[in-house]
Amino acid sequence: MTGDIEDVEMQGIIPRMVRTMFSRISSASEQIEFTVKISMVEIYMEKIRDLIDTSKNNLQVADVKGRGIWIQDVTETYVVNEDEVYQYMRQGNA
């Protein structure tokens, strides 16, 4: 899904989506404010592991009224550009 983050031609769908999203944000009206936050998890053998804070293992999925389905206690980090997202992706894939 990530492909080669460094090579635009070989990038997977996630880096391409990140690049497109930040491109659209930068070309949007200055009257619109955007907040972007990310989380990264690995699901393996029915266990969810936080890839930003790797000390968090076996996280639980919850259905919260007004928020929908989400992962309890997952680390959410604000990001301001695609390079910052890629840094977290590199960290999570290490």
Side-chain angles (χ1 to χ4, degrees):
M1 293 242 149
T2 61
D4 183 353
I5 297 171
E6 312 306 327
D7 183 352
V8 175
E9 293 294 319
M10 299 302 292
Q11 285 182 341
I13 193 165
I14 295 172
R16 290 172 190 258
M17 179 277 310
V18 169
R19 186 175 63 247
T20 301
M21 179 183 66
F22 280 104
S23 173
R24 297 288 171 99
I25 288 172
S26 68
S27 65
S29 167
E30 291 186 19
Q31 297 175 344
I32 301 172
E33 182 177 318
F34 294 90
T35 303
V36 181
K37 107 176 134 164
I38 64 166
S39 60
M40 289 180 29
V41 297
E42 172 187 68
I43 303 172
Y44 180 71
M45 295 185 67
E46 299 182 22
K47 294 189 189 263
I48 302 172
R49 183 171 69 111
D50 191 319
L51 293 177
I52 295 175
D53 181 352
T54 56
S55 68
K56 296 179 180 178
N57 289 308
N58 203 21
L59 300 174
Q60 301 299 308
V61 175
D63 187 0
V64 177
K65 188 174 183 172
R67 183 169 183 166
I69 300 201
W70 68 291
I71 301 171
Q72 290 180 335
D73 300 322
V74 71
T75 303
E76 295 180 325
T77 304
Y78 291 97
V79 292
V80 295
N81 58 43
E82 68 184 274
D83 290 329
E84 200 170 350
V85 176
Y86 297 156
Q87 287 174 357
Y88 282 105
M89 290 174 68
R90 285 184 202 95
Q91 172 189 330
N93 288 328

